Amino acid sequence: SVPFLVRLFPSVLTKFVYLNFLAFPVFADFRRPELLVNNTVSLHLTTEPGVTVGIWHTVPSSRGAEAQGKDRRWYEEALADAHPVIIYLHGNGGTR
Protein backbone atom coordinates (compact mmCIF):
# COMPACT_ATOMS: atom_id res chain seq x y z
CA SER A 1 0.00 0.00 0.00
CA VAL A 2 2.96 2.37 0.54
CA PRO A 3 3.86 2.62 -3.17
CA PHE A 4 0.21 3.27 -3.97
CA LEU A 5 0.03 6.08 -1.39
CA VAL A 6 3.27 7.61 -2.67
CA ARG A 7 1.87 7.53 -6.20
CA LEU A 8 -1.30 9.30 -5.06
CA PHE A 9 0.45 11.80 -2.77
CA PRO A 10 4.00 12.55 -4.02
CA SER A 11 4.38 15.39 -1.53
CA VAL A 12 4.33 12.81 1.28
CA LEU A 13 7.45 11.18 -0.17
CA THR A 14 9.35 14.47 -0.28
CA LYS A 15 8.43 15.18 3.34
CA PHE A 16 9.86 11.85 4.47
CA VAL A 17 12.92 11.94 2.24
CA TYR A 18 13.97 15.48 3.15
CA LEU A 19 12.47 15.69 6.65
CA ASN A 20 12.41 19.49 6.35
CA PHE A 21 9.52 19.69 8.81
CA LEU A 22 11.88 18.69 11.64
CA ALA A 23 13.89 21.31 13.49
CA PHE A 24 16.83 20.06 15.49
CA PRO A 25 17.74 21.05 18.13
CA VAL A 26 14.12 21.66 19.02
CA PHE A 27 14.34 24.90 21.02
CA ALA A 28 17.27 26.53 19.20
CA ASP A 29 16.79 30.03 17.77
CA PHE A 30 18.51 29.79 14.38
CA ARG A 31 18.07 33.55 13.83
CA ARG A 32 20.63 34.12 16.61
CA PRO A 33 23.56 31.84 15.72
CA GLU A 34 25.88 33.56 18.18
CA LEU A 35 24.07 31.61 20.91
CA LEU A 36 24.94 28.32 19.16
CA VAL A 37 28.31 28.89 17.47
CA ASN A 38 31.17 31.16 18.54
CA ASN A 39 32.16 34.09 16.28
CA THR A 40 29.05 33.78 14.12
CA VAL A 41 26.48 36.31 12.93
CA SER A 42 23.38 35.99 10.75
CA LEU A 43 23.46 38.16 7.61
CA HIS A 44 21.35 38.61 4.49
CA LEU A 45 23.01 39.12 1.11
CA THR A 46 21.26 40.47 -1.96
CA THR A 47 22.57 38.40 -4.86
CA GLU A 48 20.47 40.05 -7.56
CA PRO A 49 17.42 42.33 -7.56
CA GLY A 50 14.62 40.63 -5.68
CA VAL A 51 16.76 37.73 -4.40
CA THR A 52 18.03 37.76 -0.82
CA VAL A 53 20.00 34.88 0.68
CA GLY A 54 20.30 34.34 4.42
CA ILE A 55 23.76 33.29 5.59
CA TRP A 56 25.69 32.62 8.74
CA HIS A 57 29.14 34.16 8.67
CA THR A 58 31.54 32.34 10.98
CA VAL A 59 35.10 33.56 11.26
CA PRO A 60 37.81 30.97 11.96
CA SER A 61 39.14 30.49 15.46
CA SER A 62 42.40 32.20 14.41
CA ARG A 63 40.38 35.44 14.10
CA GLY A 64 38.16 34.69 17.09
CA ALA A 65 39.86 37.11 19.46
CA GLU A 66 39.60 39.85 16.84
CA ALA A 67 35.87 39.14 16.35
CA GLN A 68 34.94 39.37 20.02
CA GLY A 69 32.44 42.16 20.62
CA LYS A 70 32.27 43.22 16.97
CA ASP A 71 29.04 44.25 15.29
CA ARG A 72 27.51 43.12 11.99
CA ARG A 73 29.41 45.75 10.06
CA TRP A 74 32.75 44.19 11.07
CA TYR A 75 31.55 40.78 9.86
CA GLU A 76 30.37 42.27 6.56
CA GLU A 77 33.75 43.95 6.06
CA ALA A 78 35.51 40.69 6.96
CA LEU A 79 33.77 39.05 3.99
CA ALA A 80 35.46 41.54 1.65
CA ASP A 81 39.03 41.31 2.98
CA ALA A 82 41.83 39.17 1.56
CA HIS A 83 41.04 36.07 3.65
CA PRO A 84 39.55 33.09 1.77
CA VAL A 85 35.84 32.35 2.11
CA ILE A 86 34.52 28.80 2.31
CA ILE A 87 30.90 28.33 1.32
CA TYR A 88 29.19 25.40 2.99
CA LEU A 89 25.90 24.35 1.43
CA HIS A 90 24.17 22.39 4.14
CA GLY A 91 21.85 20.29 2.02
CA ASN A 92 18.11 19.92 1.88
CA GLY A 93 16.96 20.95 5.36
CA GLY A 94 14.66 23.87 5.90
CA THR A 95 16.97 25.88 8.19
CA ARG A 96 20.49 27.17 8.14
Side-chain angles (χ1 to χ4, degrees), residues 46-84:
T46 302
T47 57
E48 60 186 58
V51 178
T52 302
V53 178
I55 65 164
W56 281 4
H57 180 208
T58 304
V59 295
S61 59
S62 61
R63 295 186 74 188
E66 183 184 355
Q68 292 296 322
K70 302 294 184 182
D71 60 356
R72 288 183 194 275
R73 186 180 186 132
W74 183 87
Y75 282 89
E76 290 171 357
E77 291 172 357
L79 281 173
D81 64 13
H83 293 86

